[in-house]
Amino acid sequence: MAPLTRRNLIRGLGLLAILSAGAIFAALHHPQPALAPDPGRLTETIPDETTLFFAGDIMLSRHVAEKMFAADDFDLPFEKVADWISQADISFANLESPFSDQGPRLPEGLVFKAQPQAAAGLTYAGFDVLSTANNHTYDQDEYGIDYTLRLLQDRGILPVGTQPTDGSILPPAVITKNQTRFGFLAYSYAAHNDGGAIPSPYVADFNDLPAMTQAVKTMKAQQADVVIVSMHAGTEYTAAPTAAQVAFAHAAIDAGADLVIGAHPHWIQTAEQYKNKWIFYSLGNFIFDQMWSEPTRQGLTLLATYRGRDLQKIELRPVIIDDYCCARPATTDESQAILARLGLTSPILVDNN
């Protein structure tokens, strides 16, 4: 062993410095692989936002049908609003006219029938879920109920609010987007166009609050993270909801519903926030031929944005119906007038972003 002299000590320190520098260089240019993360320390993934589009009554009979056949264009009623519908993750409305492949077209009157060709417009627009529960459900009898359900399902659209007349039960209308399950229920004050005199076992009954609340509770507990309830009810051509509409909507939210959407009055009605949830008592017409008054030509659509179960934003998008058939976005002045009737100054009703 070499004696510990001053020269040997200096030489040793120099060699140690060289070795240390080499180690640092190697570490910089040949980094070691990163250690796998500890699964116990992983944070929960935040779901992406999901957008839902809602509209009011769609009627594809009478003058609307005549306009489509005259133009040989079954996308016609939706062409100016299709982007709103298709760009949402999930789109919903009320289908006011049953489909049937039997008999002639019905150009007028209070009995509705949509021709099978008109279903192409619903696909083109991009609807995912349609309520078939309304006072025109029986306009084409039981045959029309079953034909409509099959036609929508064949086009990948979920019908909700009615059941097949053979006693079979449709699966729950639930769509999963961005790790979140969105469930839909729909109810009507009447199965026939008779003011609600004769209920039907095939049409979900707006008047049966115990059955509705149990359905909401079951869906929320077992099938969906967010539950949307549609109601077809109220007094036609009025701007305020009836006591029955209010009672139904409040009961739905008490049972666990996250959003209530209304149709049938053919006018836009007021919106209400109840227990931090939103109720739109009537979105009015969306595709219809009631050109005889300003309120029946006006409709309200909305875009609701959720992140997981949490509502982030609601944007109101008014529409105007032109030429007995066709919806278009309202102009700025038209939108302001519609919002003013609702006591609003901004189309952004909720913004938690």
Side-chain angles (χ1 to χ4, degrees), residues 151-227:
L151 184 63
L152 294 179
Q153 290 175 304
D154 288 347
R155 288 187 168 273
I157 299 172
L158 295 179
V160 61
T162 58
Q163 295 292 340
T165 64
D166 63 4
S168 60
I169 302 297
L170 296 182
V174 177
I175 297 177
T176 300
K177 293 285 185 180
N178 299 319
Q179 309 170 50
T180 306
R181 300 168 300 167
F182 294 88
F184 296 82
L185 295 166
Y187 297 85
S188 176
Y189 81 100
H192 307 262
N193 198 18
D194 60 2
I198 305 174
S200 166
Y202 312 120
V203 182
D205 189 357
F206 165 89
N207 304 290
D208 190 347
L209 291 187
M212 180 274 291
T213 56
Q214 185 56 55
V216 172
K217 290 177 182 178
T218 298
M219 178 169 275
K220 194 63 176 284
Q222 302 177 11
Q223 299 153 348
D225 304 302
V226 176
V227 175

Side-chain angles (χ1 to χ4, degrees), residues 81-89 91 124-127:
V81 288
D83 285 349
W84 284 1
I85 304 166
S86 61
Q87 289 175 6
D89 292 304
S91 292
Y124 159 76
F127 281 103

